[in-house]
Amino acid sequence: MQKQGLALKWLLLGALITNTGISAIWPLTTIYMHEYLHKSLTAAGIVLFINSIVMVGGNYLGGYLFDRWQPYRTLLTGITINVFATLILIFFHGWPSYAIFLVILSFGNGIVGTSITAFATMVKNQQSSYVFNVLYFMNNIGIVFGTLIVGFVLPFGIQYIFMLSMLLFILFWIVAALKFNVLPERKRKKYDKGPAQLPKQNKHQIIGLMLVFIVAWIIYAQWQSTISAFMVSHGMTVKDYSFVWTFNAIVVVTFQPVLTHFDAFLYRHIKARLNVGFLLFATGFVVLIFAKEYWHFLLSMGILTLGEISAFPSVSTYVDSLVYESQRGRFQGIVNAAASFGRAVGPLVGAQVIALSSYHSLFVGCVVALVVFLLNFDIILRRSRTQKL
């Protein structure tokens, strides 16, 4: 029997469980393939790229099924794929089975990720902007827990990582089966009814924002790929690089609740929040242009993380405010697919720019690209206001 609206606590619990399970697996890919399966770093990079592209497909399919089939069954299907993939990986984690089932897991995770984001629009008695803020916070907590688990469990064997992740996915399946069979709570009036086609100005705003979002994720991916080598070239260690991500988590955990506390004010000024967030993102890379000492990298990550927690949750909120009730899943799928695509091509773009020029050219290019696309988005916003008058 379907209930009216979803309780926020179940959405957050589901996000925490699934992100912990996934985050215990992804950090191992490069290390496991290179050190245990004796494959080249290029091969590991190709597998990660394929995973990200397949996740784009999972994101989009998840959104399509969420709207056209049934949200509840769509989520359960994605979790079932995750359970199946991790079950096989417990017993078959050699080559090429590891890569094959990692790709299948990525596809399932794409469906689950979009479903969770789309379910955020169905939480009862809460403004969607507030839900997206606390959901983003919980996703990051899951990532912290997942990466911490790796260090404790991996020494016993990688099969125990997959076993733990599978148990977490089974737990989420049970929670979803019991608590996620809900009907949407129709809170909005403006876009609840109407033609299937969105107004042109809404489409243009979404396209402009997605281009900014893709560029931001391409830039963010440099921290997960090229910047580690840049730091080592400046005499820093892998441990130093690892702590930068610990610092990232500290900033998220400290400041995300502050933004959530002022959610009502920030929602009224969501366009300004997007602009400030993405400009902070660009400023983080301005610092990298001049970075030589370790504290420069910490400062860069701190500024970028403030931009991340300001802009990224707002993207989902802003897109949701522009679409009809019947299209929420599809467009949240597009948001997740844009992030996955940026993560996929980011390391390739960074490596090519460095090969043809230098790290500094890459950092300058990141700043210029993000500012240009953000200006384009602002021009679209001004034109949309003019068309409404």
Side-chain angles (χ1 to χ4, degrees):
M1 181 179 177
Q2 288 186 306
K3 303 174 184 177
Q4 184 72 37
L6 176 67
L8 179 59
K9 62 182 179 181
W10 300 119
L11 178 75
L12 298 182
L13 178 61
L16 177 64
I17 293 171
T18 195
N19 275 282
T20 301
I22 286 294
S23 299
I25 295 174
W26 295 127
L28 293 174
T29 303
T30 300
I31 296 172
Y32 182 70
M33 285 188 60
H34 188 59
E35 300 295 334
Y36 293 82
L37 299 181
H38 307 295
K39 300 297 175 182
S40 67
L41 291 175
T42 301
I46 291 171
V47 169
L48 286 172
F49 176 74
I50 294 172
N51 270 276
S52 295
I53 293 299
V54 168
M55 188 176 289
V56 171
N59 290 144
Y60 189 82
L61 179 63
Y64 180 87
L65 294 176
F66 192 94
D67 290 334
R68 301 294 181 89
W69 185 33
Q70 191 181 82
Y72 174 67
R73 292 180 179 176
T74 299
L75 177 59
L76 290 182
T77 298
I79 302 172
T80 300
I81 293 172
N82 286 356
V83 172
F84 167 75
T86 47
L87 174 63
I88 299 298
L89 283 168
I90 292 171
F91 303 101
F92 302 98
H93 42 266
W95 183 263
S97 57
Y98 174 78
I100 292 170
F101 287 99
L102 200 66
V103 169
I104 294 172
L105 177 63
S106 183
F107 181 73
N109 191 49
I111 295 174
V112 172
T114 291
S115 297
I116 290 175
T117 308
F119 265 111
T121 68
M122 298 169 64
V123 171
K124 60 184 179 182
N125 304 322
Q126 293 288 355
Q127 181 74 34
S128 61
S129 58
Y130 175 83
V131 176
F132 283 122
N133 276 327
V134 292
L135 179 62
Y136 196 80
F137 175 77
M138 195 57 68
N139 286 341
N140 278 281
I141 294 296
I143 292 170
V144 171
F145 285 169
T147 50
L148 282 175
I149 286 170
V150 172
F152 291 103
V153 180
L154 185 60
F156 297 99
I158 195 169
Q159 65 270 26
Y160 293 101
I161 294 287
F162 297 129
M163 188 181 300
L164 178 61
S165 293
M166 184 192 72
L167 292 173
L168 287 169
F169 295 144
I170 290 173
L171 176 60
F172 185 29
W173 196 99
I174 294 169
V175 171
L178 294 175
K179 300 297 181 180
F180 279 67
N181 191 11
V182 297
L183 290 167
E185 183 185 32
R186 296 180 179 273
K187 294 174 286 188
R188 300 176 305 169
K189 295 179 180 179
K190 189 173 182 182
Y191 297 115
D192 276 356
K193 296 179 180 179
Q197 292 294 322
L198 288 178
K200 283 186 179 180
Q201 59 264 34
N202 291 31
K203 285 185 179 179
H204 293 162
Q205 289 180 59
I206 291 171
I207 291 170
L209 183 56
M210 287 304 97
L211 291 174
V212 177
F213 199 40
I214 290 170
V215 171
W217 269 107
I218 289 173
I219 292 172
Y220 202 4
Q222 304 314 311
W223 269 104
Q224 299 165 341
S225 54
T226 57
I227 292 177
S228 58
F230 183 65
M231 290 180 66
V232 170
S233 71
H234 279 71
M236 288 154 222
T237 66
V238 174
K239 185 178 180 181
D240 293 328
Y241 171 72
S242 177
F243 181 75
V244 170
W245 284 106
T246 304
F247 181 62
N248 168 271
I250 292 170
V251 174
V252 170
V253 171
T254 303
F255 289 98
Q256 186 75 47
V258 176
L259 293 184
T260 303
H261 179 74
F262 294 100
D263 176 70
F265 173 81
L266 293 171
Y267 182 69
R268 291 195 300 271
H269 302 87
I270 190 168
K271 294 171 185 177
R273 178 178 176 177
L274 285 166
N275 277 294
V276 170
F278 285 121
L279 285 174
L280 284 170
F281 222 83
T283 303
F285 273 76
V286 172
V287 174
L288 282 179
I289 296 171
F290 307 99
K292 293 181 181 179
E293 305 294 331
Y294 185 54
W295 70 269
H296 293 154
F297 292 95
L298 290 175
L299 176 63
S300 173
M301 176 57 88
I303 296 172
L304 181 137
T305 306
L306 290 175
E308 171 195 350
I309 62 178
S310 177
F312 283 13
S314 303
V315 172
S316 294
T317 302
Y318 193 73
V319 169
D320 183 61
S321 71
L322 294 176
V323 304
Y324 298 116
E325 183 81 38
S326 61
Q327 298 173 323
R328 284 174 151 182
R330 174 191 169 197
F331 279 93
Q332 291 305 322
I334 290 173
V335 171
N336 282 11
S340 297
F341 180 76
R343 282 194 296 266
V345 302
L348 299 177
V349 170
Q352 286 300 311
V353 172
I354 292 168
L356 294 172
S357 185
S358 65
Y359 283 103
H360 288 88
S361 297
L362 173 64
F363 301 150
V364 171
C366 287
V367 174
V368 171
L370 188 54
V371 171
V372 167
F373 279 94
L374 189 58
L375 286 172
N376 176 65
F377 175 58
D378 287 333
I379 291 170
I380 292 171
L381 288 180
R382 283 196 291 272
R383 287 178 178 173
S384 297
R385 288 195 209 102
T386 303
Q387 290 173 3
K388 287 179 182 179
L389 295 176

